[in-house]
Amino acid sequence: MDDDVQREQCEPGTGILGVFGRQMKRLREWAGLDRATLGARMGYSPSTIASFEQGRRIPPPKFIDEVDEVLGAHGVLVEMKEQVARAQYPAFFRDAARLEAEAVELHVYANQVVPGLLQTEEYARAVFAMRRPLLDEDTVAQRVAARLARQEIFSRRPLPTISFVIEETIVRRPIGGCAVMRGQLEQILLAGQRRNVEIQVMPTEREEHAGLAGPFTLIETGEGRRIAYVEAHKDSRLYTERRSVREIEEQYGILRAQALTPRESLALVEKLLGET
């Protein structure tokens, strides 16, 4: 995506957030309510209502349902709920986030940080706080909330099949400090005990490695579509052409064979947790 377009979609008051905010303000004024009154009814401060109207904060889905009813919008605001929810994510990840939420199978190879689906709130906040150029506090909060919301996939019915191959350096790098990393290792252990989740660690000492081209995610939808999502510095791409996806599937299959088994991997994580 062009940098100028991506920047415009992320700036306050632009894109779907700007449209939603202006519509909400118009409906509030037609209802004869000021921000303080609407905020009191909704359980939000006037400043938060202002942030929603100005497109500076992303309203949660429950708020959209309730404010639509309070303002008598007859579904005008609710109709934008899905698009507003997608605005939580950076522009380059929005299509991947939609496909991820619908996946029946999801397979992730990570070589930099713990995959977002496994991150704790504290670890995610530390990751976003380290971004350069710096993200403002509202954006960090939005990104953390969006990352945690993605984890609903673990309890979705029917249960999707999910697997991870994670580099050993990731579970050894104390991002956010020792306390944050301890909580993160505990989270990995809990996730690895789910019946539909397998986590494998790729040892640093391995002489052969099929994933040197970088991280990726493999997605299979309920309709049988197989898609690969590859993210690199300032760029990302969804591959749908069968030949390209097959190549990445081959890499992942070899990676799983080269990595520790799920049982060995969780034993390593438990050992590191004891040392933290």
Side-chain angles (χ1 to χ4, degrees), residues 33 76 81 119 146 195 214 218 232 254 258:
L33 302 176
V76 170
K81 185 165 66 172
Q119 290 181 9
R195 291 191 303 117
L218 291 166
I254 298 173
Q258 294 170 335

Side-chain angles (χ1 to χ4, degrees), residues 22-269:
R22 289 190 293 273
Q23 291 284 12
M24 177 178 151
K25 180 180 179 181
R26 185 176 293 113
L27 288 162
R28 174 180 61 76
E29 291 174 343
W30 284 348
L33 302 176
D34 59 21
R35 287 170 176 163
T37 303
L38 178 61
R41 289 191 186 182
M42 302 290 300
Y44 288 83
S45 68
S47 62
T48 299
I49 298 297
S51 294
F52 291 156
E53 291 183 348
Q54 294 162 8
R56 293 186 291 106
R57 290 186 62 180
I58 299 175
K62 184 177 179 182
F63 173 87
I64 295 176
D65 289 334
E66 292 176 352
V67 78
D68 189 279
E69 183 176 348
V70 168
L71 298 179
H74 303 290
V76 170
L77 299 179
V78 169
E79 191 171 334
M80 291 183 274
K81 185 165 66 172
E82 183 176 342
Q83 290 175 286
V84 168
R86 289 182 67 196
Q88 298 177 94
Y89 305 108
F92 66 81
F93 185 67
R94 287 171 191 164
D95 288 336
R98 175 179 54 81
L99 290 166
E100 179 186 86
E102 301 168 358
V104 295
E105 285 193 28
L106 198 65
H107 306 289
V108 181
Y109 167 59
N111 66 354
Q112 295 294 327
V113 296
V114 172
L117 288 175
L118 294 176
Q119 290 181 9
T120 64
E121 180 176 352
E122 294 77 15
Y123 186 96
R125 184 173 291 108
V127 169
F128 286 122
M130 293 178 191
R131 289 283 176 88
R132 295 296 186 274
L134 287 170
L135 301 175
D136 61 69
E137 290 300 321
D138 281 347
T139 300
V140 169
Q142 290 169 7
R143 298 281 174 86
V144 170
R147 182 152 291 183
L148 297 180
R150 288 169 54 204
Q151 297 174 9
E152 293 176 3
I153 192 174
F154 288 117
S155 54
R156 201 188 67 205
R157 295 291 186 273
L159 290 173
T161 298
I162 305 174
S163 72
F164 302 89
V165 175
I166 305 172
E167 290 293 331
E168 181 181 351
T169 53
I170 290 175
V171 293
R172 290 186 179 276
R173 182 178 294 126
I175 288 179
C178 289
V180 169
M181 197 60 198
R182 181 176 181 81
Q184 182 59 71
L185 292 175
E186 290 174 347
Q187 175 96 327
I188 291 173
L189 286 175
L190 289 173
Q193 292 167 10
R194 293 177 179 270
R195 291 191 303 117
N196 62 320
V197 177
E198 288 189 340
I199 299 173
Q200 293 177 253
V201 174
M202 172 64 80
T204 305
E205 64 184 15
R206 286 289 191 260
E207 295 181 0
E208 296 181 334
H209 196 302
L212 297 180
F216 56 79
T217 299
L218 291 166
I219 302 167
E220 182 169 346
T221 68
E223 296 77 32
R225 295 175 62 206
R226 292 184 176 182
I227 300 154
Y229 173 71
V230 179
E231 183 178 330
H233 181 61
K234 291 189 175 181
D235 192 19
S236 66
R237 183 171 179 181
L238 285 169
Y239 291 89
T240 57
E241 195 270 327
R242 188 69 197 115
R243 180 177 177 179
S244 298
V245 175
R246 189 185 297 115
E247 289 176 355
I248 299 174
E249 288 175 340
E250 181 180 349
Q251 291 176 32
Y252 192 69
I254 298 173
L255 277 170
R256 295 195 71 178
Q258 294 170 335
L260 298 176
T261 67
R263 180 171 294 183
E264 291 169 340
S265 299
L266 293 184
L268 173 61
V269 172

